[in-house]
Amino acid sequence: MRQGLPDLIHRDVSDRSDLLGSGQDGAHLKFAVGQPVPRREDPTLVRGEGRYTDDVSRPGEVHAAFVRSPIAHGAIQGIETAAARAMPGVLAIYTAADLGPLKPFPNGMAFKNRDGSPMLKPPRLPLAGDRVRFVGDIVACVVAETAAAARDAAEAVELSLDALPVAVTAEEAVAPGAPSLYEEVPGNVFLDYHFGDGEKVAAAFSRAAHVTRLDLVSQRLVVSPMEPRAALGEFDPASERYTLHLGCQGVCGMRAGIAGMLGLPVEKVRILTGQVGGSFGMKSSPFPEYLCLLHAAKALGRPVRWTDQRSDSFTSDHHGRAVAVTGELALDQEGRFLALRISGLGDLGAYLTPVAPLFSSSNIGKNAISVYRTPQIEVAIRCAFTNAVPVSAYRGAGRPEGNYIMERLIETAARETGRDPVALRRLNHIRPDEMPYRTPVDTTYDTGEFTALLDRAVAAADWDGFEARRRDSEAQGKLRGRGIGQYLEVTAPPAREMGGIRFEPNGEVTIITGTLDYGQGHWTPFAQVLAARLGIPFERIRLIQGDSDELVAGGGTGGSKSLMASGAAIVEAADQVIELGRKAAAEILEAGVDDIEFVDGRFTIAGTDRAIGIMELAARLRGATDLPEGTPRSLDVEHVHESSPAAYPNGCHVAEVEIDPETGITEVVRYVMVNDFGTVVNPLLVEGQLHGGVVQGIGQALMERTVYDETGQLVTGSYMDYALPRAEHAPPVFTFESRPVPATTNPLGVKGCGEAGCAGSLPAVMNAVVDALARRGVSHLDMPATPERVWRALAEAGHA
C-alpha cells in the first residue's frame, strides 16, 4: 500500500470490510470499489425513457434547417433567398452578414513550426461568407414553424458559386501548384510540426545493424455516434441570457466556447445536457449550428430547435484520424531499439477544430514510445488543410495511431530479422525497477509491469497452441494469423474539476462534477467511490453533470481522464465532508473534535459506543437552530480538484484472424486482452469500454474508409457505402483480464480506460492480418483490410 493514499481504495480486494456502505454487516458489499455493479441508468435507457436533446421541447418552439455547399471549393457570388422566404411557415433566413459580430471558433493549441514560428490559425465563423471550402460547409440558416417547412425552404435557397480547384487529400494539398484554401496559409501547411533531435536520431540510424521502414495510413473515418447532433436554443430578454440544450462532453467547456464566440461573460450562457448517445470526441466543441440557433432565438423571441439527419451528419460532423506516415525503427545487433523516426502528413480538412492538430502531431509521438526503452525519437508531420470535412479528436486522438506505428514496426522488424516477436518486445521493455522512467518525449511513467503483462497475455491467448489452430484453418482452406498489440497511452491531464457533495432534504446525496457521461456510465463508479469513502447508501446517491449553472469548474470528459479528475475531486470533497462532520458531531455528541472518529459512515466518540450516522447528522444539521456559532450548518461541500498528472494505462491484446483467400474476407476468431488500468473501480464497466473500443478498432482495421472523388464529393456518404462493424464482426468471445498496477499520481490510483480498446486492437488485428498473408508472400497491407484489398494483395503475390 502506498503511503498517503486512502486505505479503502488500495487494500487487497479479498478484504472488503472497509468498502461497505453505512452498514457494517456486509449489506453494501456488492457496491464496493472493485465490484461489477451494473450501470444505474440502464433500466431507464432500455425502457426508452432516456432524455436526449431531441426529447426536449419548449412552448412556442420553431425549427431550423441549414443550407450547405454542394461543392468542395468555390467563391460565393450570391445567395438568393426571396423564393424561400415566401414559402409557408418560413420565419427567417440568416446568412453570414445577418449574424453580426461574432468571434471565430476557438482553437487553444499553441504549437510552433519547425522554424519556431507559431502555427497559422485562419479564423472560421459559423456561416461561410465569401468562400465555401468543403461539401457541407454551412452557408445559411432557415427557420420555420415546422422541421419539414424549414427543410423545404432550405432546398429552395439558390446559391451562386464560382467553382475553384480542389485539393481533396493532404498529398494533393501540399503538392507544388496546389490550390490554396487560405491566402495566409502558403502551400496549405498551417503547421510544420517537429519534435526531437534530428542529428542524434540520424546518428543512431547510421550505426544501426537493422532499420525497418513502413509506410502506414490511419485513414479518415466517419465518427457515427448512435445519436445525431441536436440542439435547442433559447434567449431570455429579461436576463439577456442564452440557454442551449445539446449533447456534449462537458458543459463548462461548451459554455466557455459559446460565450467566447458571442463575446459574452460565461454567466450569460447556460448549457444543459441530458443523456448523450455517444460522441467519441466529436461533440466536445461548438459547431456552427449552435450559434445560428442562439441568434435566431434572440431575433425571433422563440426557442429554436434542430436535429441533424444522418444523411447530413456525414458532412456536418467532424471526421477522425486521417494521417499517413513513414515509420522507421533502428535496432542494434542484439535487437535493442536505438531510435524511432516518424514523418508524414496530417489531413485536417477545411477548417481548424478546437484541439487540432494535437491528434495529428504531438500525441502520435508521445504515445509511439509506448512500453519500450527507445533512447531517441524524431517526429516530423506537416499538417495541411484540404477541401474535405474538418478533422477533430476521435476515440484516442493520436494515441491509437502512435501505438499502431510502433507495434507494426516491431512485428515487421521481428519478421525481417528472424526474431521472435514476443522475445523482441521483452528485450526492449522498460523494467519495473526503472520506474519512475523519463521518456524521450518528456513524459514520466510512474508504474508499469510490461513484461509480466505481455507474458500473461500470450499465456491467456494459448500462444503455443497456435500452430495447431493454424493447421486446422488450412485444412478448411483458410489462412490464419496472429498479432500482438501491446500499447501504452498518455492520458489527457485532468484539469480543474469540481467535486460537489450535497445532502438533499429527501435523504439523497448528490455528486456534482464537471466531467460528462456520454455513454461511459459515470453515475455508478462515482457512487461506488463516494459510498466507499463516506458509507452513504449506494442507492441514495445521485449525479449532476449536465447543468453549467450547478458547476464552479469542470474539465469535461475526454482523453480517458474522467475517473482521475472526478474521482480525485470526490475523494477530496469527501474528506472535507468528514472534517465538517467531525466538528458537527463533536457538538451534538458533546465531545472534543479530536475525540471523534469516522468509520463505516458513523461518527463515534473514540472508545465509546456513542455515535451518529452521517445521514442522520446531515438531517440534524438541516433542521438545527440552536447550534453554537462555528458549528457547520450542513455537510455540503463545493470543492475543486486542481489537477493531477497524466496517467499511463497500458495493456497487451492478442488477436487471431482467419482469411478466406478465395474471397478476401477476414474474420477475427479469437481475441485476448490483458490490461493495466490501475485501480479498477467497476470491472463490468471497464470491460464494456474495452469491448466497444476493440470493435471500433476492428471497424477501422477491416472495413471503415471515407472516400472522396476527385471533385471533393463524398462517395461514402451513407451507410449504404460506409461500412460499420456489426455484432457479426466481433470475435465469438472476448477474453478480458486485468493485471493492475495502481498509479501513484492520483488519490484513487486509476489510469483511465476509455480509449484503450482502439489502441490495442488496431495493431493486434492488422499484425494478425499481415501474419496470415505473409505465408503467401504479402509483407504489408494498410488499413482497412477490406475483402477487395486482401484479395488483390494475394493476387499480386500470385496466390489468390
Side-chain angles (χ1 to χ4, degrees):
M1 189 183 302
R2 291 171 291 125
Q3 186 175 3
L5 295 174
D7 291 358
L8 65 90
I9 297 300
H10 296 287
R11 187 167 297 177
D12 188 304
V13 294
S14 62
D15 175 12
R16 299 189 181 274
S17 60
D18 55 357
L19 299 185
L20 305 181
S22 58
Q24 300 184 39
D25 58 359
H28 297 280
L29 177 62
K30 66 180 181 179
F31 302 121
V33 168
Q35 290 297 311
V37 183
R39 302 193 329 168
R40 294 194 63 183
E41 64 270 34
D42 281 353
T44 298
L45 298 180
V46 298
R47 289 194 302 264
E49 297 172 358
R51 187 171 174 82
Y52 297 87
T53 302
D54 194 54
D55 297 316
V56 178
S57 62
R58 288 290 180 265
E61 66 188 17
V62 293
H63 299 260
F66 294 91
V67 180
R68 302 179 187 275
S69 172
I71 65 173
H73 200 193
I76 299 174
Q77 299 301 318
I79 305 173
E80 179 53 57
T81 63
R85 290 179 191 274
M87 294 176 70
V90 174
L91 300 172
I93 299 177
Y94 304 107
T95 63
D98 301 313
L99 293 190
L102 291 173
K103 297 185 183 299
F105 281 94
N107 178 279
M109 299 294 101
F111 289 107
K112 293 187 180 298
N113 289 291
R114 183 191 295 260
D115 63 7
S117 61
M119 66 178 262
L120 300 174
K121 297 183 179 182
R124 182 192 187 187
L125 294 172
L127 297 179
D130 58 349
R131 190 192 296 196
V132 293
R133 292 179 170 87
F134 71 98
V135 172
D137 210 351
I138 298 181
V139 176
C141 171
V142 177
V143 182
E145 294 287 353
T146 68
R151 288 195 291 268
D152 288 345
E155 292 181 2
V157 173
E158 297 181 8
L159 301 181
S160 177
L161 303 173
D162 282 351
L164 298 171
V166 300
V168 178
T169 67
E171 291 78 6
E172 293 174 1
V174 302
S180 293
L181 273 73
Y182 301 92
E183 292 181 2
E184 64 267 41
V185 184
N188 295 314
V189 175
F190 66 89
L191 175 65
D192 183 10
Y193 176 80
H194 182 266
F195 177 88
D197 189 322
E199 291 184 2
K200 290 183 179 179
V201 170
F205 271 85
S206 68
R207 66 176 185 271
H210 181 82
V211 173
T212 290
R213 291 182 178 85
L214 279 178
D215 293 328
L216 297 165
V217 174
S218 183
Q219 73 271 30
R220 176 185 281 262
L221 302 177
V222 173
V223 175
S224 297
M226 291 181 69
E227 177 202 23
R229 284 191 301 116
L232 189 153
E234 300 178 87
F235 180 75
D236 177 19
S239 62
E240 296 186 330
R241 196 163 187 247
Y242 293 94
T243 298
L244 183 64
H245 307 257
L246 80 168
C248 66
Q249 294 187 196
V251 294
C252 284
M254 182 62 70
R255 178 181 61 179
I258 295 291
M261 293 188 68
L262 293 171
L264 297 173
V266 293
E267 293 78 15
K268 290 297 184 181
V269 176
R270 185 185 188 186
I271 304 295
L272 290 170
T273 296
Q275 259 109 20
V276 183
S279 173
F280 311 115
M282 185 268 293
K283 296 177 183 175
S284 63
S285 59
F287 275 81
E289 295 91 348
Y290 309 155
L291 280 301
C292 295
L293 298 180
L294 294 176
H295 174 85
K298 181 178 181 179
L300 298 173
R302 299 173 68 178
V304 183
R305 68 180 303 133
W306 162 79
T307 298
D308 206 359
Q309 299 190 72
R310 189 64 74 176
S311 56
D312 284 342
S313 69
F314 275 72
T315 56
S316 64
D317 294 344
H318 297 153
H319 287 174
R321 308 292 192 233
V323 64
V325 303
T326 297
E328 301 172 273
L329 183 63
L331 299 85
D332 69 12
Q333 192 65 45
E334 287 74 36
R336 291 184 176 85
F337 301 161
L338 299 175
L340 173 66
R341 185 160 55 199
I342 300 169
S343 58
L345 284 173
D347 174 358
L348 278 297
Y351 296 104
L352 275 181
T353 53
V355 295
L358 176 71
F359 44 85
S360 299
S361 55
S362 63
N363 263 11
I364 291 177
K366 282 185 177 180
N367 289 271
I369 289 296
S370 187
V371 299
Y372 304 107
R373 196 185 309 102
T374 309
Q376 299 290 337
I377 183 173
E378 182 180 14
V379 181
I381 298 177
R382 290 183 294 163
C383 299
F385 288 120
T386 63
N387 292 119
V389 172
V391 175
S392 191
Y394 174 69
R395 197 169 193 168
R399 298 173 184 89
E401 290 92 323
N403 283 281
Y404 178 71
I405 293 164
M406 189 61 154
E407 289 298 296
R408 288 295 309 276
L409 285 169
I410 292 172
E411 204 76 14
T412 304
R415 187 175 296 111
E416 290 175 346
T417 61
R419 289 183 166 89
D420 174 73
V422 175
L424 183 59
R425 287 177 170 87
R426 288 192 189 112
L427 176 68
N428 287 283
H429 276 157
I430 299 163
R431 301 186 306 271
D433 61 10
E434 295 178 286
M435 301 292 177
Y437 184 85
R438 184 73 174 174
T439 74
V441 291
D442 299 329
T443 54
T444 301
Y445 301 166
D446 59 318
T447 60
E449 297 176 358
F450 309 134
T451 299
L453 192 146
L454 169 66
D455 291 344
R456 179 60 207 142
V458 296
D462 185 24
W463 192 261
D464 293 339
F466 171 75
E467 286 303 321
R469 294 190 294 276
R470 183 181 63 80
R471 289 192 294 270
D472 289 343
S473 296
E474 287 183 345
Q476 301 172 47
K478 304 286 185 68
L479 306 177
R480 193 178 190 107
R482 62 182 176 184
I484 291 174
Q486 187 158 16
Y487 71 91
L488 179 144
E489 292 190 317
V490 183
T491 68
R496 298 179 75 247
E497 189 57 72
M498 181 176 177
I501 299 174
R502 189 166 68 206
F503 290 79
E504 307 289 1
N506 65 357
E508 295 180 344
V509 178
T510 301
I511 297 170
I512 308 167
T513 190
T515 54
L516 200 143
D517 179 353
Y518 48 91
Q520 292 87 350
H522 288 171
W523 185 2
T524 301
F526 291 0
Q528 287 177 263
V529 170
L530 186 62
R533 191 66 178 162
L534 294 182
I536 294 169
F538 176 85
E539 62 276 3
R540 294 194 190 181
I541 299 172
R542 298 294 179 262
L543 175 65
I544 290 177
Q545 297 178 298
D547 183 351
S548 61
D549 279 2
E550 293 272 8
L551 297 169
V552 296
T557 292
S560 299
K561 69 179 189 303
S562 292
L563 198 53
M564 291 187 293
S566 287
I570 291 166
V571 168
E572 292 170 358
D575 289 345
Q576 294 183 21
V577 169
I578 292 171
E579 288 308 306
L580 290 173
R582 290 178 68 238
K583 294 175 183 177
E587 186 63 39
I588 290 174
L589 297 175
E590 300 179 338
V593 174
D594 292 340
D595 294 328
I596 299 297
E597 299 176 341
F598 181 74
V599 180
D600 289 331
R602 296 176 66 78
F603 295 94
T604 305
I605 301 176
T608 76
D609 60 357
R610 295 184 61 205
I612 185 170
I614 190 170
M615 301 300 289
E616 180 186 353
L617 178 61
R620 289 275 296 272
L621 292 176
R622 185 176 301 109
T625 59
D626 56 350
L627 293 175
E629 185 177 350
T631 304
R633 274 5 190 210
S634 80
L635 300 183
D636 296 353
V637 167
E638 278 192 359
H639 171 69
V640 175
H641 170 68
E642 288 301 326
S643 67
S644 299
Y648 304 98
N650 61 93
C652 184
H653 294 199
V654 182
E656 291 188 20
V657 302
E658 277 190 339
I659 297 175
D660 183 344
E662 298 299 320
T663 63
I665 293 174
T666 300
E667 294 182 80
V668 181
V669 293
R670 288 170 66 97
Y671 203 96
V672 170
M673 45 186 153
V674 181
N675 304 281
D676 170 14
F677 298 133
T679 300
V680 177
V681 173
N682 188 315
L684 181 66
L685 271 63
V686 169
E687 184 169 358
Q689 285 288 300
L690 267 292
H691 287 182
V694 168
V695 171
Q696 277 185 281
I698 290 172
Q700 180 174 1
L702 299 184
M703 61 197 71
E704 294 188 54
R705 184 167 63 118
T706 303
V707 179
Y708 284 90
D709 69 13
E710 65 277 3
T711 68
Q713 294 294 328
L714 182 61
V715 175
T716 52
S718 76
Y719 293 129
M720 294 292 290
D721 309 292
Y722 187 90
L724 282 180
R726 304 184 181 194
E728 66 190 45
H729 299 117
V733 176
F734 287 104
T735 299
F736 173 88
E737 293 186 16
S738 288
R739 195 185 185 284
V741 182
T744 63
T745 52
N746 63 77
L748 290 173
V750 296
K751 294 183 177 179
C753 69
E755 297 160 316
C758 288
S761 59
L762 288 183
V765 172
M766 286 306 297
N767 279 335
V769 168
V770 175
D771 181 58
L773 297 178
R775 300 176 186 278
R776 298 287 184 93
V778 178
S779 60
H780 175 62
L781 194 69
D782 261 323
M783 299 185 291
T786 62
E788 185 269 339
R789 282 188 171 185
V790 171
W791 183 89
R792 188 174 299 279
L794 288 169
E796 291 174 354
H799 291 286

